[in-house]
Amino acid sequence: YEESIAANGLTDIWMRYKHYVDGNVPPSVSFQTEASWEIPEESHINIDEIFAGPKEDLLSTLSQYLDKRTNGGKYLNHLNKWELTFYYIDELCMELNSGGFGHYLYYYGHHFDKVYRALELIGAEQTITLLEDGKTKFPKRRISRSLDRLQDILDKMEENGIEFEAEDDLYYKKVEHELLDKLLEFVMQH
């Protein structure tokens, strides 16, 4: 909570009212000292300017905007539901385009459940099917929420010749277009 308060520039207000909350709110899972807080960068673009720009640039400009607001994904606590939905799907798109499905899983697979819920929210059925197909390759069809554990599993899968080429091919040939269309529709509505 305090991280989010600092990120939004509300520390002075928090200090005045903190005594009302002490003992009543559980501490954050990843507690940080005040000295280690980083305030997300301010974007030079505001959200109104993003929507006033060319429609074909909307998704990439919004991606850059959220990257600044989250310090490259380090701080997500201050994002609202709609921003988080966009963030997780954008993260999936960028990683699929930079290294494929295995790459996404290796570095961001601990967000699998979050991106899955985000895809459900925007109605990206083909992408959901793609994720479900990829999930079937895992032991017990489960993707660990622990990044270290997930990376160990993926390393063993690679040693055993289990790859994600079929998922990559399907994404590039068919799914990417649907996903970007659904994401753009979602952004315009919310």
Side-chain angles (χ1 to χ4, degrees):
Y1 299 106
E2 290 183 354
E3 179 182 285
S4 181
I5 289 166
N8 287 294
L10 300 171
T11 304
D12 291 341
I13 295 169
W14 168 245
M15 295 313 284
R16 274 191 278 161
Y17 296 99
K18 180 179 178 183
H19 65 278
Y20 291 116
V21 178
D22 281 343
N24 295 319
V25 177
S28 171
V29 172
S30 60
F31 180 74
Q32 297 179 341
T33 64
E34 190 169 338
S36 69
W37 289 339
E38 291 181 38
I39 306 296
E41 284 185 50
E42 288 297 318
S43 178
H44 66 281
I45 300 172
N46 71 40
I47 200 74
D48 293 329
E49 291 172 350
I50 292 171
F51 283 95
K55 190 174 181 180
E56 62 271 9
D57 295 340
L58 180 63
L59 295 180
S60 63
T61 308
L62 190 53
S63 175
Q64 293 168 9
Y65 171 79
L66 286 177
D67 187 59
K68 290 270 191 196
R69 285 201 54 221
T70 63
N71 276 3
K74 291 180 197 172
Y75 302 99
L76 303 176
N77 295 351
H78 63 286
L79 298 182
N80 65 39
K81 175 182 177 178
W82 315 115
E83 291 168 328
L84 281 170
T85 298
F86 180 89
Y87 178 84
Y88 287 121
I89 293 172
D90 183 53
E91 177 181 75
L92 175 69
C93 291
M94 289 196 308
E95 295 307 315
L96 287 173
N97 283 311
S98 76
F101 195 66
H103 181 83
Y104 168 76
L105 291 170
Y106 198 84
Y107 293 101
Y108 298 97
H110 59 296
H111 293 163
F112 188 89
D113 292 337
K114 294 173 182 175
V115 77
Y116 191 93
R117 285 190 300 274
L119 292 167
E120 287 178 323
L121 187 63
I122 70 167
E125 297 299 324
Q126 292 177 10
T127 312
I128 291 169
T129 300
L130 178 75
L131 293 184
E132 289 172 347
D133 290 347
K135 192 175 180 179
T136 63
K137 295 181 177 185
F138 282 81
K140 299 181 184 178
R141 298 175 187 242
R142 289 187 51 232
I143 296 180
S144 177
R145 290 184 186 153
S146 162
L147 188 57
D148 291 335
R149 175 83 175 114
L150 179 57
Q151 289 174 341
D152 289 342
I153 292 168
L154 287 164
D155 289 339
K156 288 177 184 158
M157 290 170 68
E158 185 177 1
E159 289 171 11
N160 293 322
I162 299 171
E163 298 176 349
F164 298 97
E165 286 183 36
E167 289 80 6
D168 292 344
D169 289 343
L170 184 60
Y171 176 75
Y172 299 126
K173 290 178 183 171
K174 183 178 179 184
V175 175
E176 182 178 27
H177 183 71
E178 179 234 24
L179 179 57
L180 294 176
D181 286 348
K182 292 286 187 181
L183 187 57
L184 182 59
E185 181 182 317
F186 170 80
V187 166
M188 297 306 291
Q189 289 176 356
H190 299 287

